[in-house]
Amino acid sequence: MPHSTPVPPEIIRKWQEIVNLTAEIMHVPSALIMRVEPPNIKVFVSSETKGNPYEQDEVASLDTGLYCETVMKTRQPLLVPDAIRDEQWQANPNIKLGMISYLGVPIVWPDGGVFGTICVPDKKPNEYSELYHKLLQQWRDVLQADLRSLATLHRELEARETKIRRLVEVDIIGCFTWDLEGQIIEANDAFLHMVGYDREDLATGRLNWLDLTPAEWLDRDVRQFLPELKLSGKLQPFEKEYFRKDGTRVPVLIGIAAFDKQCSQGVAFALDVTKRKRAEADARESERRYRELQMELAHANRVATMGSSRPRLLMKSISPLPRSSPMPMRVCAGWARDDPIWTKSSRRYAGSSGMALAPARLSAASGRS
């Protein structure tokens, strides 16, 4: 893994407690965690103790004879009881700060690369007991365990990024990274094609997911989805619309995940569902037309049924009547003559069956005579 990988703030706070406790237990003015950053070495964490001359993030050049530089080169613990009386260390830059004794051990990454040291300089001669040696080595083991966890996390993130990068590059689905202010930071060609923009638009910052979102969808995003995203760090796929560059709209199915707890940035995957929406609309139109056709057929059947049953109804209405009822006979005869359904064969049938129509004709004839 890259040896320049940032150490998370929560780990730095833990290391701060370690150096504070170390300085207090060993009764020294300073306990440090140093980190190599070629061509320099930096005070990565410094104890919050009285009389400590080292400030956090203070940088010194390598190849100047520092105690910690020797520890990193040899990868072995180093004890300097009194630099003033040791010719090898009389030119050490730490003496100018009054630090004349030193105990330090190396800190390495899981792959064997050097991270730096954990050390305790002192302003007075100090032999540092065997117990202090063991304590410093125990702290070193704790720090290296943290680095192993950090390296594992880094590998997992790299694997995820590789998968995401592969998905973005093949352009199977629209993908873009965003920030909470609305800026689209990066996007693949599939998404740019979806909304009708190009690389120049992206490079000049003209792509903003707030501007791409129609008002009715944006209101829902702000009221419903933004609080949910801050709560869980992700959003299950949901449908919305984006404006294309030409002002038309494209329906999309979109899923979102944040990169951090603050949801300041994240990634979104968008699928163009225009074809599906068109198919759904066509299906609804086909269903509507099918229902209309069913209604028309049902109506035609009813009309046909009524038309075929009318002669039977007519026959039922022309029933034999007593000869003593001339008025109903005349009315019935008059109705029958005027009805277009009444045919010659029907009249013949009515006469031969002794229905009321024959007497009606006799009544009419006698009336004319």
Side-chain angles (χ1 to χ4, degrees):
M1 64 174 292
H3 296 160
S4 59
T5 301
V7 178
E10 56 271 21
I11 292 182
I12 294 177
R13 286 192 294 268
K14 174 184 174 181
W15 290 3
Q16 183 68 63
E17 294 177 0
I18 287 175
V19 295
N20 289 344
L21 185 59
T22 300
E24 184 178 350
I25 292 173
M26 293 188 178
H27 306 288
V28 294
S30 178
L32 307 170
I33 296 174
M34 305 293 290
R35 182 171 187 175
V36 62
E37 295 181 350
N40 300 313
I41 185 171
K42 182 175 77 172
V43 178
F44 193 67
V45 183
S46 180
S47 62
E48 300 166 333
T49 48
K50 184 178 180 180
N52 183 0
Y54 300 100
E55 296 182 0
Q56 191 145 327
D57 296 327
E58 183 179 342
V59 176
S61 298
L62 294 171
D63 298 322
T64 56
L66 295 169
Y67 299 128
C68 290
E69 187 176 345
T70 300
V71 174
M72 292 187 297
K73 285 181 177 180
T74 63
R75 301 192 179 208
Q76 296 294 324
L78 174 66
L79 170 63
V80 180
D82 188 347
I84 295 177
R85 297 185 180 184
D86 190 331
E87 291 183 1
Q88 180 182 353
W89 298 105
Q90 286 178 351
N92 189 285
N94 292 280
I95 295 178
K96 295 179 181 180
L97 299 175
M99 297 299 184
I100 62 174
S101 63
Y102 173 90
L103 176 64
V105 294
I107 304 170
V108 298
W109 289 98
D111 64 357
V114 176
F115 177 88
T117 68
I118 179 170
C119 58
V120 281
D122 196 356
K123 293 181 178 181
K124 62 182 185 298
N126 195 330
E127 293 289 340
Y128 297 100
S129 68
E130 184 65 24
L131 182 62
Y132 288 166
H133 281 250
K134 290 182 178 179
L135 177 63
L136 207 60
Q137 289 172 348
Q138 287 294 321
W139 285 138
R140 184 271 313 275
D141 292 345
V142 171
L143 302 182
Q144 290 186 164
D146 290 337
L147 292 180
R148 283 195 297 273
S149 298
L150 185 60
T152 300
L153 178 61
H154 181 80
R155 286 194 297 270
E156 291 175 352
L157 289 175
E158 279 191 332
R160 292 178 186 176
E161 288 177 359
T162 300
K163 292 178 181 178
I164 292 174
R165 191 177 303 111
R166 177 59 179 164
L167 181 62
V168 170
E169 289 173 353
V170 296
D171 286 336
I172 295 175
I173 189 172
C175 177
F176 64 92
T177 56
W178 50 266
D179 64 28
L180 205 55
E181 301 301 319
Q183 192 66 40
I184 292 180
I185 303 168
E186 186 55 76
N188 67 349
D189 290 337
F191 180 76
L192 293 176
H193 177 74
M194 190 183 304
V195 293
Y197 288 84
D198 54 31
R199 287 283 161 192
E200 183 180 354
D201 296 318
L202 181 65
T204 54
R206 287 198 288 267
L207 262 70
N208 186 297
W209 64 266
L210 294 174
D211 296 336
L212 291 177
T213 305
E216 66 272 21
W217 296 101
L218 183 60
D219 181 64
R220 187 192 63 169
D221 289 353
V222 173
R223 286 187 297 101
Q224 177 182 348
F225 291 132
L226 188 56
E228 182 181 338
L229 179 63
K230 290 183 176 180
L231 183 63
S232 64
K234 61 182 179 180
L235 291 177
Q236 294 298 323
F238 61 96
E239 290 188 5
K240 64 177 295 183
E241 290 180 323
Y242 280 130
F243 283 124
R244 291 190 181 93
K245 190 174 183 179
D246 61 6
T248 59
R249 296 188 181 196
V250 55
V252 298
L253 180 68
I254 186 168
I256 297 175
F259 290 147
D260 51 35
K261 293 181 179 179
Q262 293 72 32
C263 298
S264 57
Q265 290 187 352
V267 62
F269 298 94
L271 178 66
D272 186 346
V273 294
T274 300
K275 292 183 179 179
R276 194 197 75 187
K277 290 291 187 181
R278 186 179 299 120
E280 289 175 352
D282 291 343
R284 287 194 298 269
E285 176 63 18
S286 296
E287 179 66 20
R288 184 189 65 80
R289 294 173 61 187
Y290 176 71
R291 287 196 300 268
E292 288 182 352
L293 181 59
Q294 282 186 316
M295 294 175 63
E296 290 174 0
L297 288 174
H299 178 69
N301 286 335
R302 285 196 300 271
V303 171
T305 301
M306 291 176 64
S308 62
S309 64
R310 193 167 182 183
R312 291 194 297 271
L313 293 175
L314 178 61
M315 292 301 102
K316 289 181 181 180
S317 66
I318 310 175
S319 57
L321 294 175
R323 296 181 181 275
S324 59
S325 303
M327 182 58 70
M329 288 190 293
R330 285 195 297 273
V331 173
C332 185
W335 175 80
R337 283 194 307 271
D338 296 335
D339 194 283
I341 299 176
W342 183 253
T343 62
K344 182 177 181 180
S345 61
S346 299
R347 288 194 298 271
R348 189 162 52 249
Y349 170 78
S352 63
S353 62
M355 289 185 179
L357 190 58
R361 288 200 191 98
L362 294 175
S363 298
S366 62
R368 285 195 297 272
S369 62

